[in-house]
Every structure is written in structure tokens, then in C-alpha cells.
Amino acid sequence: MNTTIQRLCLLLFPLFVLAGCGGILNPGPAPTRLQLRPVMPAQIAATPTQQQIVVGLPSAGRDLDTDQIALIFGRREVRYLADARWTAPAPALLQRAYIDALMSSGVFRGVSDESAGISAGVKLISTVRGFGLHYEREGAVPTAEFEASFQLVNLNDGSIMASMTVRTTAAAAGTSPAALAGACEDALSQGLAKLAPWVAENAAKRKK
């Protein structure tokens, strides 16, 4: 009898171990995926051109090159929203927003990313310096910030045609994931409203 019990214990022990590991390894529910839908700027009162613009993927630091939504405390400590993420890494979302904003301007013959292979005369390059939510203290309603530097490059000779830095902010309406994402959209929308006319004005100066 003792031998039989020992054999049963040896057989059942791995099952108990696996059951325990299943609880440890269970990642829990998947985070909510939030779309980034900024307001596009209105058409620009400028003469349409045959200019084509290519928009490079923005560069970003490691803390922003992610699909996680950055929460900044005291302008130094970076955390991330626990239960929600963007649908793609922030640089890819911002690149798409830049392209859509320039297309909405109604000025250019074509605007795309580099994978489209269009014959462009001007390239927009950028660096994301800030795209997240700033908290003055724990539990406070945050303020969204968008900050980026931009350069227009003449693809004929590689020269820098113009440079600009944009920084915009928007107060969140609450602390829910939807309210936080909405604040990020508002801050970005303000930035796009500045970007589109700047690109239109300076791209028109390109010497062919």
C-alpha cells in the first residue's frame, strides 16, 4: 500500500506544479488598444503645387519608441499606462498623422512615407522629444504634451531648407484611458495645425 501511494504522489506532483505555474504565467486580460485620431488641419489658402513630399519615420528615444502611453512625473520619472496602449508604436502613429495632415492641406501633389517609392523633391524628417502625459503629483489630472523638431530636406542636394520645433499642450478631461488619449490627440492636433502651413510655405521655396 505504501508503495502504491508513493507512486500516486509521484504521478500527481507534476500536475500540481503545472497548475501552479499556470497561475503565475497567466498574463491576464490584454490591454485596451487606443487609436490616435487627431483633428486634421483645414485646407491651406495657397496655390497647389506639383511638389511631392516624403515623410520619414520620426526618431524617438527609447522611452517613446513604444506602443505604451508615457506618463511623466516631475518631468523625469517615466511610467506607462497599465491597462491601455496605442495601436502601434508612437513614431509610426505620428508619421501617419503628419502624412494625413499634409494631404489634408490640399497643397501637394503627393505625400507618402518612404515605402511608397514616389519621386519626391522634399523630405520631412523629425525627432519626437515629447509625447505623453505630465503629472504634477500622484492622482492629479495630467496635461498632455507634444514636442517635436522638424527639418525639410531638399532631396536634390541634401541641404536643409528649414527647421522648426513645435511644443503644444492640452489638459486632460479626466483620468480614464479615453480621456488621456483624447488629451494626446488635442495636443497633437495643435501641432499639426502648425506643421502643415510651415511645410507648405518652405517646400514652395525649393530650387529645382
Side-chain angles (χ1 to χ4, degrees):
M1 181 65 69
N2 290 339
T3 302
T4 302
I5 293 174
Q6 289 176 349
R7 288 176 178 174
L8 285 173
C9 289
L10 290 173
L11 289 172
L12 291 175
F13 179 73
L15 298 179
F16 286 120
V17 171
L18 289 175
C21 289
I24 295 173
L25 298 177
N26 183 2
T32 300
R33 292 287 177 174
L34 298 176
Q35 294 182 330
L36 183 65
R37 292 182 172 178
V39 176
M40 291 293 110
Q43 287 196 354
I44 298 170
T47 303
T49 73
Q50 293 301 303
Q51 193 75 262
Q52 296 197 117
I53 308 291
V54 65
V55 178
L57 182 69
S59 62
R62 186 168 56 183
D63 56 335
L64 293 176
D65 191 8
T66 174
D67 62 356
Q68 297 190 83
I69 300 173
L71 313 176
I72 299 94
F73 293 81
R75 303 196 67 83
R76 288 186 180 274
E77 181 185 355
V78 180
R79 307 178 196 174
Y80 296 99
L81 196 61
D83 53 355
R85 295 189 177 193
W86 298 121
T87 54
L93 294 179
L94 293 174
Q95 181 188 37
R96 184 71 255 171
Y98 300 162
I99 292 171
D100 291 345
L102 297 182
M103 291 178 63
S104 296
S105 71
V107 174
F108 307 105
R109 182 162 65 92
V111 184
S112 73
D113 61 29
E114 294 168 298
S115 66
I118 66 172
S119 179
V122 176
K123 181 177 180 179
L124 176 68
I125 62 175
S126 60
T127 300
V128 185
R129 303 191 182 282
F131 187 58
L133 295 130
H134 292 261
Y135 289 78
E136 291 186 0
R137 63 184 184 282
E138 296 280 351
V141 176
T143 297
E145 178 186 76
F146 167 68
E147 184 176 0
S149 60
F150 298 92
Q151 290 183 323
L152 281 180
V153 179
N154 186 335
L155 293 178
N156 282 354
D157 58 14
S159 61
I160 304 298
M161 302 167 56
S163 301
M164 176 182 70
T165 297
V166 171
R167 181 181 179 273
T168 56
T169 61
T175 57
S176 68
L180 300 181
C184 291
E185 289 175 339
D186 291 344
L188 177 58
S189 298
Q190 296 175 50
L192 298 179
K194 297 180 179 181
L195 176 65
W198 176 80
V199 173
E201 176 185 358
N202 288 282
K205 301 175 183 177
R206 184 180 76 91
K207 295 180 180 179
K208 297 181 180 181

